[in-house]
């Protein structure tokens, strides 16, 4: 859950499932290109940003995506009970996020911010509001929490949300099909059959699945990589130059 942890793996892996309104152009960084938003506008006063959302997008569980999911995600971030302190600084000058209709999001700032277009547009990973609201009662029951809420910003929501150890099925190219994340079991993401990008970006993310294998011991990890039991590893240059 990237909202409640700032561990590198959480953000990197969730990025395959939880989309953003815009993404960095892989051919011309740091420029951005449309993702869940097809276009956006900045008011003359540089305090109001309007995002126009992509229509017909589905989450990996088949639920339709709309502006309510963006609003829900922002409200989760701002819930004082949610452990999202590592994300808050980027949004501290946001006065409001409103949704005039199902496919429009309007963000107003207290003062001019050079990164205003990117805060909600790029930093906010969009949660599946319906899935989260279904999970809250289940987790509350498992945790024996009697009083809870499915609405961000109200007492009882954050306490349960912080305990969700499962990646919400997003609108991205992959999703986690398991029921609960197990740290000692390889994590495998499967292709999202509803991914909107298949039409917009043919050829992107065409692996059937992505599997992450965690090996704590660096020597053991090196030997497994040498035996070609997995395809990609991350290492320091000195190790590569001397050993690999």
């Amino acid at each position: 859950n990237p909202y409640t942890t700032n561990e590198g793996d959480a953000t990197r892996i969730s990025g395959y499932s939880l989309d953003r309104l815009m993404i960095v152009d892989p051919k011309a960084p740091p420029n951005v290109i449309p993702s869940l938003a097809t276009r956006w506008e900045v008011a003359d006063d540089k305090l109001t940003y309007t995002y126009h959302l992509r229509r017909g997008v589905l989450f990996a569980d088949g639920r339709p995506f709309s502006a309510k999911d963006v609003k829900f995600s922002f409200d989760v971030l701002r819930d004082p009970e949610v452990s999202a302190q590592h994300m808050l600084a980027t949004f501290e000058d946001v006065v409001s996020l409103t949704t005039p209709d199902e496919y429009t999001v309007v963000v107003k700032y207290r003062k001019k911010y050079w990164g205003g277009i990117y805060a909600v547009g790029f930093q906010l990973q969009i949660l599946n509001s319906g899935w989260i609201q279904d999970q809250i009662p289940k987790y509350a029951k498992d945790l024996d929490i009697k009083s809870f809420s499915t609405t961000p910003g109200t007492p009882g929501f954050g306490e349960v949300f912080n305990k969700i150890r499962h990646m919400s099925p997003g609108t991205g190219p992959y999703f986690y099909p398991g029921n609960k994340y197990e740290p000692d079991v390889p994590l495998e993401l499967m292709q999202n059959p509803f991914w909107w990008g298949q039409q917009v970006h043919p050829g992107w993310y065409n692996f059937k699945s992505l599997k992450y294998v965690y090996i704590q011991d660096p020597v053991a990890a090196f030997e497994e990589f040498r035996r070609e039991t997995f395809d990609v590893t991350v290492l320091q240059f000195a190790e590569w130059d001397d050993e690999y």
Side-chain angles (χ1 to χ4, degrees), residues 40-54:
W40 43 85
E41 300 149 5
V42 183
D44 292 340
D45 62 6
K46 303 295 190 295
L47 296 176
T48 303
Y49 300 81
T50 303
Y51 301 87
H52 301 278
L53 306 184
R54 191 178 299 278

Side-chain angles (χ1 to χ4, degrees), residues 42-49 107-114 116-117:
V42 183
D44 292 340
D45 62 6
K46 303 295 190 295
L47 296 176
T48 303
Y49 300 81
V107 180
K108 292 186 179 295
Y109 276 81
R110 180 178 298 106
K111 60 183 181 180
K112 293 180 181 179
Y113 174 42
W114 69 268
I117 194 72

Side-chain angles (χ1 to χ4, degrees), residues 130-185:
W131 183 88
I132 295 289
Q133 290 175 319
D134 282 352
Q135 294 299 310
I136 293 286
K138 297 176 184 177
Y139 270 81
K141 182 179 179 180
D142 290 344
L143 297 166
D144 197 27
I145 297 175
K146 305 299 183 185
S147 179
F148 62 88
S149 170
T150 58
T151 303
T154 59
F157 176 87
E159 181 184 4
V160 182
F161 179 82
N162 290 337
K163 304 291 195 305
I164 295 180
R165 297 287 292 168
H166 188 303
M167 198 188 311
S168 117
T171 57
Y174 294 93
F175 72 101
Y176 177 58
N179 294 320
K180 203 169 187 179
Y181 170 63
E182 302 291 347
D184 57 342
V185 176

Side-chain angles (χ1 to χ4, degrees), residues 61-129:
D61 61 357
R63 300 177 201 255
F65 158 77
S66 71
K68 71 177 176 61
D69 298 294
V70 181
K71 178 70 164 62
F72 180 89
S73 302
F74 182 75
D75 290 345
V76 169
L77 174 75
R78 282 286 182 87
D79 188 320
E81 293 183 3
V82 171
S83 302
Q85 291 79 9
H86 60 287
M87 298 176 66
L88 287 174
T90 304
F91 304 89
E92 63 182 359
D93 288 323
V94 175
V95 176
S96 65
L97 185 152
T98 57
T99 56
D101 58 55
E102 286 191 327
Y103 297 102
T104 306
V105 173
V106 179
V107 180
K108 292 186 179 295
Y109 276 81
R110 180 178 298 106
K111 60 183 181 180
K112 293 180 181 179
Y113 174 42
W114 69 268
I117 194 72
Y118 305 104
V120 172
F122 180 72
Q123 298 295 336
L124 192 67
Q125 290 181 284
I126 309 305
L127 298 169
N128 184 331
S129 63

